[in-house]
Amino acid sequence: MPFHSAITILDRRLSNRSAREDLQGVMRFMHEFWWFGIKEARSCLFAGLFFLAVFLVPRAGVLGVARYDLLLLIALGLQAWLIWRKIETWDEARTILTFHLAGFALEVFKVSGAHPSWSYPDPAYTKVFGVPLFSGFMYASVGSYIMQAWRILHLRVERHPPYWISTGLALLMYANLFTHHFIGDFRWYLAALALGLYARCNICFTPLDRERRMPFLLGYTLVGFFIWLAENIGTFFGVWRYPNQLGAWATVSLGKWSSWTMLAMMSFAIICSLKHVKERIHIAP
C-alpha cells in the first residue's frame, strides 16, 4: 500500500469520534492514552520524517552531495509532498514559511559574532552567513506539528487572552532571543507574564470520543520538553554543536527547555492567524 494511502486511511480512522460507551475506568484510560499517542505521532508527520533524515543522512553526505545540502532537498521534497497530498494547505504552507524565515534570522544572529551560541561544522553549498538553509525547517516543523495536532486532535482553546496581548508577548519573547546578548535575559519576567495571561486558559482536545482539557501552559511546556529531547539527539549526531560540545558531546542545558517552550508559544501566536484556527479559540472576557 502506498504511504500516502496509508496516511489517508489512518486519518479517516483518527477522525472517527463515535461514542464508546463500552469503555469505562482503566480500559477507557488505556484506550484514550493509546489513541492520544497515535494522534500525537501522526501530528509529527513532517517533523518525524525530517528529523529521521537528519539522523540517518551520513555526515559525509551521499553520492557527493553534502549532508546539509541533502537535508534541504529532503525538507523541500517533504513540504511539496504534504501540499500535493493535501495533508497541508497552501495557507498553512505560507504560515510555515513565516516560521522558516523567523528561525533562519535567529540562526544567522546566533552563529555570528566573536562568541557564537552554536555552530554548523560541516561544509555545504547552501550555507548563507554560516547557516545551512535547511535549519529553518527545524523551526517550521514545530509549526507543522501544531497545525496538524489542531486538526487531528480537534483542538480548541478556552479563555485565550486577546490577540493583541498574546501577539505582543510573542514578539517580546522573540526579541529577547536577540537582546539578551546586550541588555540582559528577561525570559523569566516574560514567563511570569505568560503565567498570568494564560493562567485560566485551557487546551481542549479529543483523544478518542470525549473532549479532555489541560492547562495551556502545561501543554506548551511539554512541547518544549520534547523539542529539547530532539535537540539533544541532533547535537549527538553532530548536526550542530554548542561551544561546550566541541571537544566531546554533552547534554544540552536544561535552560534551553524554557527557550523551546517560549518558541512553541510564539509558534501558536503565528498559527492564530489561520482562519480555521481562530474559529475554535474563545477569547477571555
Side-chain angles (χ1 to χ4, degrees), residues 27-238:
M27 287 302 297
R28 170 163 285 279
F29 171 80
M30 292 176 64
H31 273 74
E32 290 198 5
F33 186 78
W34 168 257
W35 284 108
F36 177 75
I38 295 295
K39 290 185 176 184
E40 283 285 296
R42 165 60 184 83
S43 300
C44 293
L45 181 63
F46 176 83
L49 292 174
F50 177 61
F51 279 96
L52 183 65
V54 168
F55 306 145
L56 293 182
V57 172
R59 185 166 188 174
V62 177
L63 300 176
V65 181
R67 172 166 65 165
Y68 296 160
D69 297 334
L70 186 57
L71 288 175
L72 176 61
L73 294 174
I74 291 172
L76 291 171
L78 281 174
Q79 189 63 71
W81 178 76
L82 289 173
I83 295 172
W84 176 44
R85 289 298 173 184
K86 299 182 179 178
I87 297 172
E88 284 181 359
T89 67
W90 278 106
D91 281 345
E92 290 172 339
R94 283 192 287 268
T95 302
I96 283 178
L97 177 61
T98 303
F99 290 112
H100 191 289
L101 296 175
F104 183 75
L106 179 64
E107 290 280 332
V108 170
F109 178 81
K110 292 290 187 178
V111 303
S112 62
H115 303 287
S117 299
W118 57 79
S119 62
Y120 291 90
D122 298 339
Y125 288 110
T126 55
K127 263 187 173 182
V128 179
F129 302 116
V131 178
L133 292 177
F134 87 88
S135 64
F137 283 99
M138 294 190 288
Y139 297 84
S141 64
V142 179
S144 177
Y145 157 74
I146 296 174
M147 287 187 291
Q148 292 295 313
W150 189 266
R151 181 164 39 245
I152 294 166
L153 282 159
H154 306 284
L155 296 180
R156 65 184 185 88
V157 177
E158 296 177 329
R159 297 187 292 274
H160 189 276
Y163 292 125
W164 70 270
I165 298 178
S166 59
T167 301
L169 176 61
L171 290 173
L172 288 174
M173 288 177 172
Y174 184 68
N176 185 68
L177 296 172
F178 295 85
T179 60
H180 79 86
H181 292 275
F182 312 109
I183 60 173
D185 190 351
F186 295 99
R187 80 176 69 183
W188 299 116
Y189 297 98
L190 295 171
L193 180 58
L195 183 61
L197 286 176
Y198 291 95
R200 299 189 303 127
C201 185
N202 289 322
I203 299 174
C204 304
F205 60 99
T206 305
L208 185 59
D209 61 333
R210 296 180 183 177
E211 191 174 72
R212 304 298 182 185
R213 288 172 173 77
M214 76 165 59
F216 183 94
L217 290 178
L218 173 60
Y220 281 91
T221 299
L222 291 173
V223 172
F225 174 72
F226 285 106
I227 298 173
W228 177 79
L229 287 180
E231 186 178 33
N232 274 280
I233 298 173
T235 56
F236 179 80
F237 281 91

